[in-house]
Amino acid sequence: MQRTRVIALCGVSGAGKTSVIKCLAEAFNSPILLFDDFVEPNTYPLDMKAWLQGGANISQIQSPRFTKALSELKVHSDSQMIFIEEPFGRERAEIAHLIDHVIMLDMPMEVCLSRVIQRHLKYSNDATKNLTNYLRKYDDHLRAVYIAAANQVRQSSDLIITNVDTIASIQSTISDWLHDNCK
């Protein structure tokens, strides 16, 4: 019996994790779990600015339902791989032991910000207000939060993709790497 491997895609908001993971899941006929589907009111520290100033301990970001869902999926899956969107790679102690490989989409911050703005405009009912609030937080502390988290995640990633390219091209690069590293 083959061992199911958990492949975590990480990166800051807007890096392309969800888009790439959906393509990978289709290419490998594998299940996925998306971190954002398990976010609860207490997942993130209430004051992210204070969290950043206190050292940005990623293990303080909690998602017990996500960890439980992954544990159960890993036990019951007959797929070769499970792809998860885990923005923090192996840096969260609660989930690190379940992850076999971490692939970081390390896109330039301005590309990520542009994508987040586009997402707000496309999916928000009150786009102007929501986007204004997001950008105010981004200028105040979110950009620094993203950078601090990315700097930590980068250190324990197995593959780091820095080229801004099409989803198909990134998926192809990752697929090639997985074929070489998940035998």
Side-chain angles (χ1 to χ4, degrees), residues 18-115:
T18 303
S19 298
V20 172
I21 209 168
K22 288 178 180 179
C23 289
L24 286 166
E26 186 176 321
F28 286 92
N29 193 30
S30 297
I32 65 171
L33 288 176
L34 303 176
F35 180 85
D36 288 348
D37 291 345
F38 295 89
V39 170
E40 298 181 45
N42 60 345
T43 295
Y44 291 99
L46 292 177
D47 185 341
M48 290 300 287
K49 189 174 183 178
W51 173 82
L52 175 67
Q53 292 167 342
N57 180 353
I58 290 177
S59 283
Q60 291 176 341
I61 298 168
Q62 301 287 311
S63 61
R65 288 186 317 111
F66 183 61
T67 303
K68 181 179 179 189
L70 178 56
S71 295
E72 291 173 359
L73 182 58
K74 192 170 180 176
V75 167
H76 299 294
S77 179
D78 58 359
S79 296
Q80 180 184 0
M81 293 179 218
I82 299 169
F83 291 98
I84 65 168
E85 174 198 43
E86 168 54 55
F88 309 102
R90 289 187 188 96
E91 297 304 307
R92 292 187 321 115
E94 81 175 63
I95 202 164
H97 67 283
L98 297 171
I99 297 172
D100 295 294
H101 298 287
V102 174
I103 299 169
M104 181 176 193
L105 303 180
D106 197 6
M107 301 293 116
M109 291 301 292
E110 67 273 10
V111 170
C112 296
L113 179 58
S114 171
R115 291 173 178 171

Side-chain angles (χ1 to χ4, degrees), residues 132-152:
T132 300
N133 286 337
Y134 177 82
L135 291 173
R136 183 181 42 75
K137 289 178 189 175
Y138 185 88
D139 286 343
D140 184 61
H141 65 278
L142 277 183
R143 182 176 188 279
V145 165
Y146 291 147
I147 290 169
N151 287 340
Q152 292 175 60

Side-chain angles (χ1 to χ4, degrees), residues 5-9 24 28 80-83 90 99-105 156-161 168-183:
R5 301 205 184 222
V6 175
I7 313 301
L9 265 71
L24 286 166
F28 286 92
Q80 180 184 0
M81 293 179 218
I82 299 169
F83 291 98
R90 289 187 188 96
I99 297 172
D100 295 294
H101 298 287
V102 174
I103 299 169
M104 181 176 193
L105 303 180
S156 64
S157 294
D158 301 305
L159 173 65
I160 300 173
I161 298 188
S169 179
I170 292 171
Q171 182 259 319
S172 178
T173 299
I174 293 171
S175 293
D176 291 345
W177 187 87
L178 290 171
H179 284 296
D180 292 341
N181 291 280
C182 291
K183 296 177 181 177

